Amino acid sequence: QVQLQESGPGLVKPSQTLSLTCTVSGGSITSNYYAWSWIRQPPGKGLERIGSITFSGDTYISPSLESRTSISRDTSKNQFTLQLSSVTPEDTAVYYCTRGTSASGYAYWGQGRQVTVSS
């Protein structure tokens, strides 16, 4: 059974960088042909796709967030990481890491990490 767990600060100040790590167990992030994604849900709004990193390390970032988002991985720790720079209160959301993409569907989800952007 694949399990994902988000970790990182729950409070970030405006203009700073939000950094979250997803630790995966029960499966390797390099296994063919999976992709690993970040999704967020702002309060009172729907799910928003942030981006993905594939089993081979290729990344896709949503165009609306591309200028300030990076997704990377540490294969030795079986982790992948989200960094979102220059955050504003509009980036306040529950952030989820998942296995899958919008095309393939999201089979496994972490429990979610509430991140609040506030001074």
Side-chain angles (χ1 to χ4, degrees):
Q1 178 77 4
V2 176
Q3 294 184 316
L4 299 92
Q5 178 67 58
E6 304 90 351
S7 61
L11 179 64
V12 182
K13 288 181 167 46
S15 80
Q16 292 188 341
T17 296
L18 179 161
S19 183
L20 294 175
T21 296
C22 183
T23 301
V24 179
S25 60
S28 172
I29 62 172
T30 60
S31 293
N32 298 344
Y33 295 91
Y34 296 119
W36 306 84
S37 298
W38 288 99
I39 293 172
R40 68 181 183 180
Q41 186 168 29
K45 298 184 179 180
L47 295 171
E48 178 184 13
R49 181 179 57 174
I50 300 172
S52 305
I53 186 164
T54 70
F55 68 97
S56 60
D58 295 326
T59 58
Y60 166 82
I61 309 295
S62 174
S64 64
L65 296 169
E66 190 171 21
S67 64
R68 54 191 187 99
T69 301
S70 67
I71 297 175
S72 59
R73 65 180 184 170
D74 185 336
T75 57
S76 68
K77 296 181 180 178
N78 215 34
Q79 297 174 332
F80 60 105
T81 299
L82 168 70
Q83 289 197 310
L84 180 65
S85 64
S86 304
V87 297
T88 72
E90 291 188 348
D91 294 308
T92 294
V94 178
Y95 286 76
Y96 297 94
C97 58
T98 74
R99 192 188 82 180
T101 65
S102 59
S104 67
Y106 302 102
Y108 298 97
W109 293 70
Q111 64 182 23
R113 179 68 172 156
Q114 171 68 51
V115 179
T116 300
V117 179
S118 174
S119 55

